[in-house]
């Protein structure tokens, strides 16, 4: 099957407008006769469900949490980008488009990214109208901050809880539609398969997680907004429930899976402390606006710190290596995530790490506290040389900007980051890969759409900070509502779709069979046992740096682990009740397949780009070495029974508006 | 650390349920409370027993999914944190820890420590929103300046994570702190003022229908709230409600 990205013709700046001018519309009266299933109620799914219902469609929305408000988007900290140029610092739609394409190491689709930049400004207007309390300046206007990989201040935020506030906005919009009866909400329901009738997505099979009942739900189209698959690593910054099942199940029924190996490793996370850890916690990247990252210059000092004989504050300014400022003077601590992560790993691998395990660098706020404190003292006409006063004033300002993050750090690490610098290390955070979609956000299954982190399209090989939230809301509020209408226009006379069709019966049976197999398996090990093993293979061999040998081993090890899993997993309890182990088992089963495809994708991509760093392909200075002649394409995999048999399809990436150059932040 | 856990086990909503004792060893002070339960569950599974069901997702104090009444306190002994942010360093070697679900008539138990908090959602359906079309064709976000102080106060109220600790800890099982946080978030913004009257009447009405108790101003909710939602919000909601009732 040939991939058709359906990118509209014409100049990039006009594509979306022209497209909207010419698509088929569904008459409002007919929308009432069309049902849409939305799986996921994060920023992407939540905004889509609300908007589709607002337009008049009958929406059924699903999430596995007990409330849509708890979707993983709630955890996003730092902010959301938009080309508003409120600061007058030179931002524009083009610049946001350019930064995103460059930040993604030229592996994103130009037309999609441009559309994203175009609608970004509307997102802020929409959210403010919905009562999202974004940060304001004293004059009452919205405030901005900057994020990694850009030189303008275009990030809107609500303290360190931006995702929470935006999600509550989308949730409130959903609530309005639930109240009107236009959305039927299925909390604590997990989609376990998609149903395809005559080649079109026509429904899903879901498990009611409270009763264990398997349900059939039909619709004229199915939208997947199920988030990312970072938990394939077991340890990640994702919520514990985040999983790949919905995306993987549609992959197995015909949706191509694109660029699975593009994973973002986020530079500012709380380091791993021991074996018992269940997840890693992100410290928002916005901290890099004010925090300076360093390690000791001398190996002896690093060693002394690790052994507890010295402290960070014992080292004078010139005994510290501010390695990002040293290597990348133009961007300094604000280089993109992939660059910052690799630089930290490089220093730690060279022996300069500062925690017990040697896998941490400092994120230091002392300079910011002093700078802000002096300014505040000056403004108030107080003594700028009073150190205690300056520290107090400065600390208050830092607290007002990042208070909840500092508190979170204190609770986890038991050290006060206002006094001693934070320790941070990169961790798995976000997956740029996902189901392949065309310009309409439709997968290779007609009628099955994929939005937000679960699709692949907008971020290329590396995502810049604050653009996932933007993409989720752009897809849900402003893009899908148009494209899905174009798809549904011919379906208006279709009438409701029966769930008694043989396709539903068959899909339900497959789900029930898998569940029964787990329940009756009586193996030796818990689900977590296998998940942790998978995570270790992924992190060690498919993690921040990869090479052909490790990847080849990983592929074999994952396949073997999968076999062991099916033989030996133990799932207590029964299928017809609330059973959290069973939920985990079905998710890990999918991770065990996805992990292998992930490694296979990384192995075939003989270049380094963004979050995909192949040790064999680097410049003399240790920077990623792209190969545009051979790899300027999207790798879209077609399922053929086993991950090892997956067939590669290539969507060439044509850069007509941006010239591909070596990415430099120096 | 070696601990004795006394955990509420209840097979399902119909089951009567009761406390079961579990000894546990090898707990590190830097584990979170939920990681401690993970260790217990791993042991139970390996012994062929059913693990303890408990709610959780983000494990960083923001989703509001985790609950647990620990030694008689919602989210346990630490202040200003959720259960997932509670660390074992708050306990001593040899301690006995009681772990129970959030109990309230409006939060029926689903299994073990998991309760159904969808009554909170239904209160929101009744009016926890601003009626604006999601088309993006609204006015520019900076067209209506919002005083920073109001925006900050609105944010503080909006920071409620909907965990239900306020209800669980209140001797009347009142949902006033939660509902007032929602009402306040909108009442403080110009965008929310337009339909403020209906909003507060509808939400309070739904709150009563759900079977939450009355507020008698004991203030226990504020003390146990992991997000520091202030009682001021209750006062503001009462004012809003009074004004709305007079109008309405
Ligand atoms: C700690 C952290 C901080 C972040 N900070 C930022 C930031 O500052 N700025 C930024 O732009 N991005 C940030 N991100 C990234 C961003 O939060 C996510 O990419 C984004 O929220 C994903 O949104 P989503 O709607 O695609 O998916 P999610 O929010 O993950 O939602 C997934 C939904 O799908 C449902 N679901 C999944 N599978 C199923 C199934 N099988 N059946 C039924 N329902 C299912 C879930 O219940 C949930 O409702 C951050 C991410 C993390 C981890
Ligand atoms: S008010 Fe506080 S305790 Fe109550 S639900 Fe909100 S965050 Fe939880
Ligand atoms: S698990 Fe999300 S708040 Fe505790």
């Amino acid at each position: 099957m040939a991939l058709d990205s359906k990118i509209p013709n014409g100049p990039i700046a006009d594509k979306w407008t022209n497209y909207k001018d010419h698509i088929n519309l569904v008459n409002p009266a007919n929308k009432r006769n069309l049902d849409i299933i939305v799986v996921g109620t994060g920023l992407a799914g939540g905004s889509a469900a609300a908007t589709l219902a607002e337009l008049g469609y009958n929406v059924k929305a699903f999430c596995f949490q007990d409330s849509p408000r708890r979707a993983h988007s709630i955890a996003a900290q730092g902010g959301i980008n938009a080309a508003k140029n409120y600061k007058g610092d030179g931002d524009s739609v083009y610049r946001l488009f350019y930064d995103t394409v460059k930040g993604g190491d030229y592996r994103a689709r130009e037309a999609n990214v441009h559309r994203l930049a175009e609608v970004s400004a509307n997102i802020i207007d929409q959210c403010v109208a919905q009562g999202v309390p974004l940060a304001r300046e004293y004059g009452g206007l919205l405030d901005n901050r900057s994020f990694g990989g850009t030189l303008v201040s275009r990030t809107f935020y609500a303290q360190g809880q931006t995702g929470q506030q935006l999600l509550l906005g989308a949730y409130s919009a959903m609530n309005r539609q639930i109240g009107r009866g236009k959305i039927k909400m299925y909390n604590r329901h997990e989609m376990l398969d998609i149903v395809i009738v005559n080649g079109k997505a026509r429904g899903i099979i879901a498990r009611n997680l409270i009763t264990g009942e398997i349900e059939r739900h039909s619709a004229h189209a199915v939208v997947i907004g199920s988030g990312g698959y970072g938990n394939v690593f077991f340890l990640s910054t994702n919520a514990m429930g985040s999983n790949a099942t919905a995306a993987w199940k549609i992959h197995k029924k015909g949706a191509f899976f694109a660029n699975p190996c593009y994973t973002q490793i986020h530079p500012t996370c709380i380091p791993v402390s021991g074996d018992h850890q269940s997840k890693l916690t992100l410290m928002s990247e916005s901290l890099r606006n004010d925090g300076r990252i360093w390690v000791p210059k001398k190996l002896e000092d690093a060693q002394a710190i690790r052994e507890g004989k010295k402290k960070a504050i014992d080292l004078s300014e010139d005994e510290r290596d501010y390695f990002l400022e040293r290597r990348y003077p133009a961007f300094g601590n604000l280089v993109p995530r992939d660059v910052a992560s690799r630089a930290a790993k490089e220093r730690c691998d060279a022996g300069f790490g500062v925690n017990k395990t040697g896998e941490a660098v400092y994120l230091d706020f002392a300079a910011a506290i002093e700078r802000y404190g002096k300014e505040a003292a000056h403004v108030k006409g107080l003594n700028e040389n009073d150190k205690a006063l300056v520290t107090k004033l400065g600390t208050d300002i830092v607290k007002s900007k990042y208070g909840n993050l500092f508190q979170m750090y204190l609770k986890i690490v038991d050290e006060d980051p206002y006094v001693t610098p934070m320790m941070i290390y990169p961790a798995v955070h976000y997956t740029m890969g996902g189901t392949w979609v065309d310009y309409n956000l439709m997968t290779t299954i007609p009628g099955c759409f994929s939005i937000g982190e679960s699709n692949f399209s907008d971020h290329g090989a590396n995502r810049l900070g604050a653009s996932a939230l933007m993409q989720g809301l752009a897809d849900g509020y402003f893009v899908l509502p148009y494209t899905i209408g174009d798809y549904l226009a011919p379906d208006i006379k279709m009438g409701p779709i029966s769930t008694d069709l043989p396709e539903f019966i068959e899909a339900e049976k497959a789900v029930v069979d898998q569940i029964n197999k787990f329940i009756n398996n009586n193996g030796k090990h818990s689900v977590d046992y296998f998940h942790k093993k998978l995570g270790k293979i992924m992190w060690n061999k498919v993690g921040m740096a990869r090479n052909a040998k490790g990847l080849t081993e990983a592929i074999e090890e994952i396949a073997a682990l999968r076999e062991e899993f099916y033989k030996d997993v133990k799932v207590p309890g029964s299928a017809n009740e609330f059973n959290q182990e069973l939920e985990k088992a079905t998710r890990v089963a999918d991770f065990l397949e996805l992990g292998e495809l992930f490694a296979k994708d990384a192995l075939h991509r003989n270049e380094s780009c963004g979050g995909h760093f192949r040790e064999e392909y680097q410049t003399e200075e240790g920077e990623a070495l792209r190969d545009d002649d051979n790899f300027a394409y999207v790798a879209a995999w077609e399922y053929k029974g086993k991950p090892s048999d997956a067939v590669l399809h290539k969507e060439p990436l044509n850069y007509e508006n941006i010239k591909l150059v070596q990415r430099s932040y120096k | 650390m070696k601990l004795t856990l006394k955990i509420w086990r209840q097979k399902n909503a119909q089951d009567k349920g009761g406390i079961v004792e579990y000894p546990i060893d090898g707990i590190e002070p830097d584990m979170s409370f939920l990681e401690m339960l993970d260790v217990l569950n791993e042991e139970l599974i390996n012994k062929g027993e059913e693990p303890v069901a408990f709610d959780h997702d983000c494990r960083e104090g923001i989703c509001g999914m985790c609950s647990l009444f620990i030694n008689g306190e919602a989210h346990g002994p630490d202040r200003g944190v959720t259960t997932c942010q509670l660390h074992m360093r708050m306990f001593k070697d040899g301690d006995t820890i009681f772990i129970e679900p959030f109990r309230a008539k409006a939060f029926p138990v689903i299994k073990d420590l998991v309760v159904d908090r969808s009554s909170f959602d239904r209160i929101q359906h009744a009016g926890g929103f601003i009626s604006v079309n999601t088309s993006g064709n609204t006015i520019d976000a900076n067209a209506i300046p919002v005083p920073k102080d109001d925006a900050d106060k609105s944010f503080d109220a909006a920071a409620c994570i909907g965990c239900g600790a306020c209800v669980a800890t209140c001797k009347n099982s009142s949902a006033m702190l939660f509902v007032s946080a929602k009402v306040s978030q909108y009442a403080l913004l110009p965008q929310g003022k337009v339909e403020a009257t209906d909003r507060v009447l509808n939400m309070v009405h739904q709150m009563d229908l759900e079977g939450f108790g009355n507020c008698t101003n004991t203030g226990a909710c504020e003390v146990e709230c992991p997000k520091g939602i202030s009682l001021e919000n209750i006062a503001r909601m009462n004012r809003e409600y009074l004004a709305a009732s007079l109008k309405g």
Side-chain angles (χ1 to χ4, degrees), chain A residues 26-34 55-56 492:
Chain A
V26 182
N27 161 341
N30 287 330
K31 288 191 184 122
R32 267 179 255 134
N33 303 325
L34 292 169
L55 286 172
I492 48 173

Side-chain angles (χ1 to χ4, degrees), chain B residues 75 120 159-167 177-179 181 221 224-229:
Chain B
H75 295 304
F120 271 11
C160 161
I161 55 173
C163 62
C166 46
V167 173
L177 194 63
F178 168 78
V179 180
C221 51
E224 292 297 338
C225 170
K227 296 297 154 188
I229 303 297

Side-chain angles (χ1 to χ4, degrees), chain A residues 314-620:
Chain A
D314 297 336
L315 299 194
S316 66
E317 191 77 7
D318 57 330
E319 288 170 313
R320 303 172 175 194
D321 174 15
Y322 296 92
F323 56 92
L324 291 176
E325 297 168 38
R326 168 169 60 77
R327 278 175 70 168
Y328 309 100
F331 281 72
N333 292 297
L334 286 176
V335 289
R337 293 170 179 181
D338 56 329
V339 178
S341 294
R342 268 197 299 281
K345 180 177 191 295
E346 189 276 328
R347 284 294 78 192
C348 292
D349 289 351
F352 295 93
V354 294
N355 69 346
K356 280 196 191 105
T357 61
E359 289 190 325
V361 300
Y362 286 127
L363 178 62
D364 195 339
F365 291 86
I369 290 177
E370 194 182 319
R371 178 162 40 89
Y372 286 128
K374 282 210 156 139
E375 191 183 315
H378 183 84
V379 170
K380 294 188 173 145
L382 301 169
N383 180 4
E384 289 170 48
N385 297 319
D386 180 341
K387 206 153 189 278
L389 174 80
V390 165
T391 306
K392 154 105 193 26
L393 293 174
T395 302
D396 285 348
I397 290 173
V398 169
K399 200 172 269 173
S400 74
K401 293 180 106 170
Y402 313 109
N404 73 311
L405 301 172
F406 276 57
Q407 189 231 17
M408 203 155 85
Y409 183 88
L410 172 72
K411 289 291 172 194
I412 295 174
V413 183
D414 204 22
E415 251 181 32
D416 184 355
Y418 291 106
V419 183
T420 40
M422 288 184 182
M423 285 183 290
I424 52 160
Y425 198 66
V428 171
H429 177 60
Y430 179 89
T431 44
M432 281 81 63
T435 29
W436 184 90
V437 288
D438 61 19
Y439 188 75
N440 300 323
L441 305 181
M442 191 157 88
T443 67
T444 42
I445 301 174
C448 176
F449 296 77
S450 178
I451 58 177
E453 193 175 341
S454 75
N455 77 23
F456 89 101
S457 63
D458 290 16
H459 309 300
N462 174 55
R463 172 173 71 78
L464 289 183
S467 51
L469 301 183
M470 173 173 65
Q471 187 218 344
L473 291 179
D475 287 0
Y477 282 138
F478 305 133
V479 179
L480 182 80
Y482 286 96
T483 62
I484 206 169
D486 187 47
Y487 169 81
L488 286 172
D491 262 8
I492 48 173
K493 295 228 172 60
M494 175 97 194
I497 291 154
S498 162
T499 53
D500 295 331
L501 293 169
E503 290 84 352
F504 276 91
I505 296 170
E506 198 185 314
E508 178 183 306
K509 186 174 176 306
V511 166
V512 171
D513 286 350
Q514 191 202 27
I515 287 174
N516 287 339
K517 206 163 140 198
F518 283 133
I519 294 291
N520 299 326
N521 199 43
N522 252 328
K524 280 200 297 290
H525 296 295
S526 69
V527 177
D528 277 355
Y529 167 91
F530 292 100
H531 196 177
K532 282 183 187 170
K533 277 195 154 183
L534 172 66
K536 284 235 162 75
I537 302 173
M538 294 298 295
W539 182 247
N540 292 334
K541 297 183 173 166
V542 202
M544 236 195 299
R546 305 142 179 195
N547 58 50
K549 178 168 168 287
L551 290 168
T552 314
E553 287 165 8
I555 290 171
E556 282 167 24
E557 288 168 26
I558 295 168
L561 185 65
R562 193 165 61 236
E563 221 168 279
E564 195 191 329
F565 171 77
Y566 279 106
K567 249 199 277 170
D568 232 1
V569 71
K570 168 151 69 189
V571 180
S574 82
N576 314 316
E577 60 172 348
F578 188 81
N579 187 337
Q580 292 172 319
E581 285 299 303
L582 178 60
E583 291 170 29
K584 279 198 254 178
T586 54
R587 294 170 191 164
V588 171
D590 293 331
F591 279 139
L592 281 163
E593 292 182 6
L594 168 63
E596 188 181 328
L597 184 69
F598 191 132
K600 185 176 157 115
D601 185 47
L603 179 62
H604 107 278
R605 192 167 277 278
N606 289 325
E607 65 163 351
S608 292
C609 59
H612 167 65
F613 192 73
R614 280 283 299 273
E615 287 166 348
E616 302 94 324
Y617 307 98
Q618 50 181 308
T619 65
E620 267 165 29

Side-chain angles (χ1 to χ4, degrees), chain A residues 227-242:
Chain A
Y229 52 88
N231 276 353
V232 66
F233 285 87
F234 186 74
L235 283 183
S236 83
T237 63
N238 288 3
M240 300 296 286
S242 298

Side-chain angles (χ1 to χ4, degrees), chain A residues 65 67 69-70 84 86 125-126 131 140 142 171 175 188 240-241 278-279 411-412 526 570 578 580, chain B residues 35 42 45 54-55 57-60 78 89 111 121 124-125 133 136 140-142 146 160-161 185:
Chain A
Q65 290 93 345
S67 164
R69 61 164 293 145
R70 306 206 208 279
K84 278 280 198 188
Y86 280 161
D125 299 340
Q126 182 65 46
L142 290 159
Y171 166 68
N175 281 328
R188 291 202 200 262
M240 300 296 286
S278 56
K279 73 159 278 172
K411 289 291 172 194
I412 295 174
S526 69
K570 168 151 69 189
F578 188 81
Q580 292 172 319
Chain B
E35 283 166 352
E42 183 76 18
I45 295 167
F54 62 93
D55 261 336
D57 199 22
C58 72
R59 293 211 177 181
E60 53 186 71
D78 205 356
R89 61 179 89 90
K111 180 176 184 170
D121 287 309
Q124 304 267 88
H125 303 163
N133 193 309
D140 184 87
N142 263 348
V146 181
C160 161
I161 55 173
Q185 176 196 342

